[in-house]
Structure formats: structure tokens, C-alpha cells
Amino acid sequence: MIGYFLIRLGADSEKEIRQIDSIQSYSADPFSIAVSCKQVPKGVSPGDVAVIWLGTNNNKGGKTPWIQGVRALGRIEKISGVGGYSAAKTVRLSLGVVLPRSITKMDIVTKQSRRYPDIAGMPVLGVNNYSSQVVQRIDPSESGQSLRSLFAALDGILPGMKSKTLAVYPDLMEFFLDRTMPGFSPSLPSHELEEEDDAALLTNSAKSSREIDDDGLEPDDDRDSEIEVPFDPSKIDIIAKPMTISSLEDRLDNNELDLTPDFQRQANVWDVKRKARLIESILLRIPLPSFYFSEDLDGGYAVVDGLQRLCAVFHFKNPTLLNSTTGANLGQLKLKGLQYLKELEGSTFADLDRKFQRRISELEITANIIRANTPSAVKFNVFARLNQGGMPLNAQEIRNAIFPGEWRNELRKLAESKEFVDATDGKVRTSRQQDMELVLRFVAIWQIGAPYFRPSNQTLDEFLNTTVENVLCKWDSRKWEEASDAFYHAIDAAGRVRGKHAFRKSANTQQRKPINRGLFEAEMIVYGSLNAKALSQAEKSKKYLGKLFLSALAENKDFTQSLLYGTGSPESSNARIAVLNRIVAEAINA
């Protein structure tokens, strides 16, 4: 297993520091340095990743001839020396990436402030780290030690770090796939009250695979980055008002409170102990964190943030109502595992004294209502910002919440169809609605019409949101039938021409790669647009077509980039379609 370390060069490494500091561009070739030090942590091994920090050359931490900060990235080549932890050792490092200048802690705090909370627990860079050790371990699994956030911050301050790193150390790609929404949500006073929406129960199997992401697809830098849709902040319309549990229960009883909106993954996922601890907190008069609801045009509310807490309360107070509104089959909740009110252990709501029942029924919560007249782009951003903890909602889940309508059912039919499931080998995860987004990406480009080039100056989310709101929401059944026919034809055509490699960056006798989102939409469009004669010719020439495809992957930089970086941009989408059209034309006319 690869380890990660921060190497803090100091007075004993002045020669090496000056060598590194003399480099002022990303063009330097890799070179090696040797660092003498003591207190080398156990487990440091050749191949481990090293972040190089230029430190002070004096024991008072005073001004130095160079700027102290992160200056390079490399790999540990060798550790020599005998003896225990306090013995002198020599650590030999190969430096493959040298930044044009040092990036200080203040640079990150001021220029990449949204990322700093995810870095604040790191050695040297952290807020409370005063160790002068030369070799200090970075543990990416620990809070505040995110290498993804650190690398994103470095590349944001000195663009080019990412491309240089991946050119030298391609195996570090996983640290440039920003799977967490940048930002910081302060933890609440009591972990019992945190609204995590049960990420632990929904991670399925958190694989560290560098080939397949959490959705069963090839990692996509664009879809794992921060959701960005421009909006006018002045149009945010959110009101805060107090509400009681009884008033929310009344809304639930009258179908005016939706605990299972289309964008929520699952209700009632907390275990009994966690629910009981929440009830105990209420009985102890500990205030609950705020709740967020999205208002519809009829005045109904859908839960945006606070679902599990509400389910816990209703499971205890009125399980029959909860079951009828969520489709659950829960028995009466009994309090178990209480910390303070142990005399209530095993009690149901009906068993409680009237004073305790009132504390639950009359509990006043702060309800933040996202008003129905809030523009769609604004709602989209509000949802994204509210769901930055635990397992944040992705763009498609938010889209399903913002734009109600038949379009969701139509996309779901296509995503659940045998044709789609077979063509993707059932690899695309359905729990996060990424199957629906893949289908939407095809439909959105298809409805543009030939030559299927997306308009410029729109992010992928802007394009998909605009298409849903202004086009798909207005389609009648006949238009959806036309779109469905095009979808099924495209799936079939891609399979006939590309076989088992359809939608993948592989061909012919190569080992099959994971599904690539960009290739999915492009191949669906290109092969789905072929007439019967052209499709038959492409199918007969599929071996040669596969050879041309592999050549394009190896030699056409624009094509390769369109499948790796900024894949959701209109430029990337248009480039993919243009290159595939040329490949098909050459194969057919050969």
C-alpha cells in the first residue's frame, strides 16, 4: 500500500532547497535529492508519495532566502541507515514535479479558502501543527488531510500542476478526481443530531479502484467536480419560520409534506439506537439543527435537509402514519440505548408521561422554506450548497427535485429498459440516478438535431437544466415515443459497430475498459444517426473502425482531452462527435 508523507526540508538540506528553488517552471526533468534526518516514521517505503515543503534554515523560524511553502512533489526511492526511530537515516527522493514557486499556507487560505478546511489537519500546513520533524505522515482517510483538496488548491493557484503530475505520476489520477463538494460544513455540537443522510449505509462498497468510480463508470473529472450553474443571488427566496412537530405531522397526514421526494435516496435508514438517541435529545430539550423544505406551487413541502430526523420522530410518535406515507413497514419504536433517561428504556410514545409527550408534540423547529417562486437556477444552487455534508446530492438528484414532471418517468423507463441494462452490463449504478443522467445526456443532444453540436458558453449542468426546463417538460407522448425510438436504435447501432467495447476507450482484442460518459453520448449520437446502409457498412468494417478509434486515442490530443478533462463542456462534446464522425466516414469509405 502506498504511503503519503510531507518532507519538510530545513537547515540540513540547504543545498537541496536551493537546487529546488532555482527552478521556476514546470518544464524541469525529474531529479533526485538525499535528505538526512532522524525520527523517520515506521512504514516509510520506496514508492511512497512525498510532498516537499521548503522550511527554514535556522532554528528560530526566521526569514529565509527562499519562500517557505509547498514546492515539489515526488516519490521516495530509498531509505538507508540502521537503528530505531531516533537513529539518523538518509531518505532519497525522486522529484518529478517542481512548482514554479513555493505555495505558502497563506496562499491556500486566501486564494483557495474553500478547500483549506479539508487540508487543515495536515502536517505543517495544518492549523495546529508545530512539529519540526522532517518526515511526517499524511493520512488521506483522516479528516482535514485530503490530498484531493491539497492538489486542487495547488493547481488552482499555479495552473499546470495537475497536467504535469499526471504526466509523471499517472497513478495519482484518483487525487485529481474531486469527489467531494468543496466547502466546509461545521459539525454540530452533538453527533447524534448530525444529518448525515446515512452515507455509511449507502456507500455500498466504497472501492478505491482507479478504473471505476462510485457510479460504476470511468472516473470523470467533470462530473466529480463542484456543481456550477450561474445564478442571481438577489433572487434567492428563502424564509425561516418556526414550526412544531404536530404541525408537520398534520401536513404529513394531509399529503402536504413529502418524505420521499424523487431526489431523496431513502427514508428511515437510521437504526433504532440512533433514533432513540434523537428522541432522548428532544426530551432533554436539546434544540435540533434547522430543517430545509422546498415549497411547491400548492404550498406543499418536500424535505431537502432533515429527512432522517423527521422519520425518527414520526417513527416514535406515529409509525402508522409514517408507514402509510413512505411505504415502510415499521413496528412501534421503543427507546433503547439511552444515555441519561435510563428510566425510559423500552418505552413507546404511548408509555411516556404526558409532559414528555408534549415535549415531542410541541417541539419547535426552525424551518427554512425555499419558496416556490424561486427561479430554477437559484434552487439548483441552493440544493447543491445545502447538501455538502455526508453524501451530497449529485446534479441529477437535484435536477429531479427542481424540475418535476413526466420527463423523469420517461427517462427512468429508458434507464431501466433491458436494452440499456444489457448494453451497459448493468454496471451503471442506479442508486444515485447516474443511469438517468446518461440517458438525459443523449436525449438532450439528440433533440438539438444534426449536426448535434451543443451551444457554447454553457456548462453541462446549465445545458441539461435548460433542456429539461424549456424542452423536455413540454414534450407530449408522441415526442417521447420518437425520442425512445431514437434511443433504442442508437443503443442497438452502437452495439453492432463496437460490440463489447461500446462506450469504452478500448477496441478489438484489447481488454475492455469501463464505460466512459462522454463516449456514451457521442457514440449514441454518431452511430444512432447512421442510415441503414451506412450502419451496415460500419458493422462490416468494425475491425478497421476499431483500429482507427485506437489511433485517435493515441494520436489525437483533442479527442483524448475531450474524454478526460472538462468532458462536460460543449467544446469537448462537439470534439468527440466530430472525431467519431470522421472515423466512421473513413472506415466506411476505405
Side-chain angles (χ1 to χ4, degrees), residues 209 211-212 218 425 427 498-516 519 546 549-550 553:
S209 170
E211 292 290 326
I212 302 176
E218 182 179 89
D425 287 333
K427 300 290 187 183
R498 295 271 282 126
K500 69 177 184 179
H501 295 288
F503 322 130
R504 294 164 167 87
K505 292 191 298 185
S506 56
N508 297 339
T509 59
Q510 285 188 333
Q511 183 176 352
R512 189 168 62 165
K513 297 284 185 69
I515 293 170
N516 179 279
L519 266 183
F549 175 77
L550 293 178
L553 282 178

Side-chain angles (χ1 to χ4, degrees), residues 428-444:
V428 185
R429 303 246 167 88
T430 61
S431 59
R432 302 300 309 276
Q433 301 177 7
Q434 289 303 288
D435 53 342
M436 288 181 65
E437 185 175 89
L438 272 185
V439 175
L440 174 59
R441 287 175 70 154
F442 163 75
V443 173

Side-chain angles (χ1 to χ4, degrees), residues 154-454:
L154 298 180
D155 188 62
I157 296 170
L158 292 176
M161 183 267 186
K162 174 180 178 178
S163 57
K164 176 65 174 180
T165 302
L166 294 180
V168 181
Y169 305 123
D171 59 312
L172 297 185
M173 169 65 83
E174 63 176 305
F175 294 111
F176 291 95
L177 301 176
D178 193 2
R179 294 175 184 169
T180 58
M181 199 82 69
F184 180 59
S185 298
S187 58
L188 300 166
S190 169
H191 72 278
E192 301 298 340
L193 305 183
E194 288 178 3
E195 184 66 24
E196 297 175 341
D197 273 350
D198 306 280
L201 296 175
L202 294 165
T203 52
N204 293 325
S205 56
K207 300 178 180 179
S208 60
S209 170
R210 295 169 186 162
E211 292 290 326
I212 302 176
D213 67 10
D214 291 336
D215 299 312
L217 302 165
E218 182 179 89
D220 188 331
D221 195 25
D222 194 68
R223 297 318 286 148
D224 291 323
S225 60
E226 182 175 8
I227 296 172
E228 293 183 354
V229 175
F231 71 102
D232 183 352
S234 67
K235 294 183 179 180
I236 294 176
D237 188 4
I238 300 177
I239 61 170
K241 67 177 185 180
M243 297 186 73
T244 64
I245 291 297
S246 289
S247 65
L248 289 172
E249 184 178 5
D250 182 66
R251 277 182 165 272
L252 186 64
D253 195 29
N254 287 281
N255 296 317
E256 297 167 346
L257 175 63
D258 189 356
L259 296 182
T260 56
D262 199 59
F263 60 90
Q264 287 285 9
R265 287 172 287 275
Q266 190 177 356
N268 295 308
V269 295
W270 279 6
D271 59 23
V272 170
K273 181 179 178 180
R274 192 169 186 184
K275 289 181 178 182
R277 289 284 180 87
L278 179 74
I279 301 302
E280 183 182 34
S281 297
I282 295 172
L283 297 178
L284 291 170
R285 293 195 175 97
I286 297 175
L288 298 187
S290 298
F291 292 74
Y292 278 82
F293 302 94
S294 179
E295 181 184 54
D296 62 29
L297 293 173
D298 295 320
Y301 293 166
V303 183
V304 176
D305 190 48
L307 174 64
Q308 304 306 330
R309 284 174 279 154
L310 283 179
C311 286
V313 172
F314 291 137
H315 185 189
F316 185 64
K317 189 175 187 297
N318 194 338
T320 302
L321 177 60
L322 181 65
N323 286 336
S324 67
T325 55
T326 64
N329 186 27
L330 300 170
Q332 177 65 56
L333 176 64
K334 296 182 179 181
L335 300 180
K336 292 184 179 180
L338 302 182
Q339 288 180 298
Y340 302 102
L341 303 177
K342 295 188 179 297
E343 67 276 14
L344 300 181
E345 191 79 16
S347 297
T348 65
F349 181 77
D351 296 331
L352 297 180
D353 290 342
R354 178 60 185 153
K355 68 174 182 178
F356 283 138
Q357 290 182 345
R358 284 200 310 272
R359 286 184 192 177
I360 295 174
S361 299
E362 298 174 2
L363 171 68
E364 196 171 83
I365 58 109
T366 299
N368 296 293
I369 313 299
I370 306 169
R371 301 300 297 276
N373 60 354
T374 302
S376 299
V378 179
K379 270 193 174 184
F380 194 86
N381 271 273
V382 170
F383 272 54
R385 289 169 181 272
L386 288 177
N387 286 275
Q388 292 187 359
M391 180 179 282
L393 296 177
N394 62 40
Q396 186 61 33
E397 290 167 325
I398 297 173
R399 194 172 293 118
N400 282 1
I402 301 302
F403 305 110
E406 187 60 26
W407 71 274
R408 298 183 302 194
N409 295 329
E410 294 292 344
L411 288 186
R412 189 173 286 110
K413 286 180 191 175
L414 297 177
E416 293 177 351
S417 66
K418 183 178 185 299
E419 290 83 351
F420 177 81
V421 173
D422 287 349
T424 58
D425 287 333
K427 300 290 187 183
V428 185
R429 303 246 167 88
T430 61
S431 59
R432 302 300 309 276
Q433 301 177 7
Q434 289 303 288
D435 53 342
M436 288 181 65
E437 185 175 89
L438 272 185
V439 175
L440 174 59
R441 287 175 70 154
F442 163 75
V443 173
I445 295 176
W446 171 81
Q447 61 83 31
I448 295 174
Y452 305 105
F453 285 171
R454 278 175 46 190

